[in-house]
Structure formats: C-alpha cells, structure tokens
Amino acid sequence: MPIRVLLADDQTLVRASFAMLVASAGDMEVVAEAGTGRQAVDLARSARADLVVMDIRMPDLDGIEATRLIAADEDLAGVKVLVLTTYDTDEHIVDALRAGASGFLVKDIRPAELLDAIRTVATGDSLLSPGPTSRLIARFLRAPDTAMSAVGGPDGLSERERQVLTLVARGFNNTEIAEALGLSPLTAKTHVSRIMGKLGARDRAQLVIVAYESGLVTPGAV
C-alpha cells in the first residue's frame, strides 16, 4: 500500500512542488493539501493520511498546535507528523517534537531527501537529520517546559538499554546501533521497541528528548 501523504503549507507553490515530487514516487501518494493548521487537522481525519508534512508557520493554527492536536487524537494514533523548519533560525522545532512530531526537515533539502524522509518517518525507523537534530535539540531542550512529563525517565532501563538509548539520541539508526554495539539489526530494533514501551514513548523523537532531559546525553557529547 502506498504511503498516504498530507501536505500542509500556506504557500501554494511549495505545496505544488512537494505534491509533484511525491507523485513521482511509486510508493506514496498525496491524498490532501492544507493551507492552514486547522485544515491539516481536519484533513488528517477525513483523508485518512498516514503522514503529514507540516510547516510550522501557518495561519489560523500553527504547525506546532496542529501537531499537538493530531498526536492527542486517539483516532489519529497511527498518523506521523514530519515538520518543516528553517533549521538554525527556527527555535520552535523542540516544541514540535514535544507536541508529537516524529522528526523534521530543513526546507532546502534535496528532492530525494524528502522522499527518503517520508519513508523513514512513515515506518518509524529513525529520527531525521541525525547531526543537526541532536545539536538543535541539545540547544533548546533545557528550557523549563515540562510537556514530556507523561513520558518516563531512563532509570528503569538496563545498562544495555541505556547504551541503545544514548545512540538513538545521537541519531543512530538500527543498523548503526547494531554495528556500534556488536548486535544484529533485529536485536537492536527489539531493544529500541522495548525502550519505547518502558518509557511510554510514542516514537524515537520522544526517546531523543528523554535522553537529553534526563541528562543521559549532554549537549557537549554530540
């Protein structure tokens, strides 16, 4: 089944460009386009999207609040959100991850990177842009916002699970984790799944936030 993509951006030209790119891939399709955050929330329900490519700055309802509403809706539990950002100039990316986004993209990425990112987030395999992601999260994560309080800390994890969580926070995918720790990719994936279950995290993005907020990974270590 193709990945059902909802494009949310207030710029018609940007949406049209992304739509043409997604349509060129054989394993995904655009099922709807939204020009505001509120439209994105409504269309995520009605269009039965698998993934929303969400701009942060939109009228009516911004992308962060739209992401929060999608993540909090039990009927949309399987919908992933991939946030668009201008990277260094956008300090709202951590708010978006806290709101439930599964990753983010820089708007000036290459076309093939967008398609790969959609596939990655749709499968829940890895947080995007490992290096930039880690640096950006490290920079803004220690703000007093405690919106992640519903997610547990790493105290109950085994030593091996803490090692795996550390690598997840540094942007490693399952294959890279397996190579770093001398495990099989399947074992690495199993560890990540168990960690998510123990911490009550919905995806790897939340695992990254837990690792930083708990001090398991520090900004200087990235």
Side-chain angles (χ1 to χ4, degrees):
M1 294 291 291
I3 302 168
R4 299 173 59 82
V5 179
L6 165 61
L7 301 174
D9 195 295
D10 64 334
Q11 297 183 39
T12 304
L13 183 59
V14 172
R15 292 201 314 271
S17 299
F18 285 173
M20 289 177 61
L21 178 62
V22 170
S24 72
D27 59 343
M28 60 187 72
E29 63 178 339
V30 176
V31 294
E33 297 181 28
T36 71
R38 197 166 300 282
Q39 286 179 354
V41 176
D42 293 340
L43 288 171
R45 297 190 183 104
S46 62
R48 301 177 61 84
D50 297 317
L51 180 142
V52 183
V53 177
M54 182 84 75
D55 188 23
I56 287 182
R57 294 179 175 86
M58 287 189 293
D60 187 19
L61 192 69
D62 67 33
I64 293 173
E65 187 58 31
T67 297
R68 184 175 289 112
L69 291 175
I70 290 172
D73 191 328
E74 293 183 358
D75 293 334
L76 300 177
V79 179
K80 303 290 186 180
V81 177
L82 180 58
V83 169
L84 293 176
T85 176
T86 52
Y87 177 39
D88 272 336
T89 62
D90 198 334
E91 300 183 6
H92 299 300
I93 187 61
V94 171
D95 292 334
L97 293 176
R98 282 191 172 114
S102 295
F104 75 88
L105 281 177
V106 182
K107 274 195 170 181
D108 62 356
I109 58 166
R110 295 189 301 271
E113 290 178 315
L114 173 60
L115 298 180
D116 287 342
I118 290 173
R119 295 182 184 105
T120 298
V121 171
T123 60
D125 181 55
S126 178
L127 189 64
L128 302 182
S129 304
T133 299
S134 298
R135 289 194 296 273
L136 190 61
I137 290 175
R139 199 157 126 210
F140 300 114
L141 198 52
R142 296 201 178 268
D145 189 333
T146 56
M148 290 291 295
S149 58
V151 179
D155 292 344
L157 301 181
S158 68
E159 181 59 30
R160 175 62 84 189
E161 289 169 339
R162 291 168 70 88
Q163 292 173 343
V164 171
L165 178 57
T166 298
L167 295 179
V168 169
R170 290 176 179 167
F172 284 43
N173 60 34
N174 291 340
T175 300
E176 292 166 337
I177 292 171
E179 292 175 353
L181 299 180
L183 307 172
S184 71
L186 179 58
T187 300
K189 181 177 181 180
T190 299
H191 277 305
V192 173
S193 297
R194 286 177 178 170
I195 294 168
M196 289 175 62
K198 285 185 176 182
L199 300 184
R202 71 191 298 268
D203 55 30
R204 295 171 77 111
Q206 287 195 339
L207 292 185
V208 175
I209 295 177
V210 168
Y212 277 106
E213 288 191 328
S214 67
L216 182 64
V217 175
T218 59
V222 191

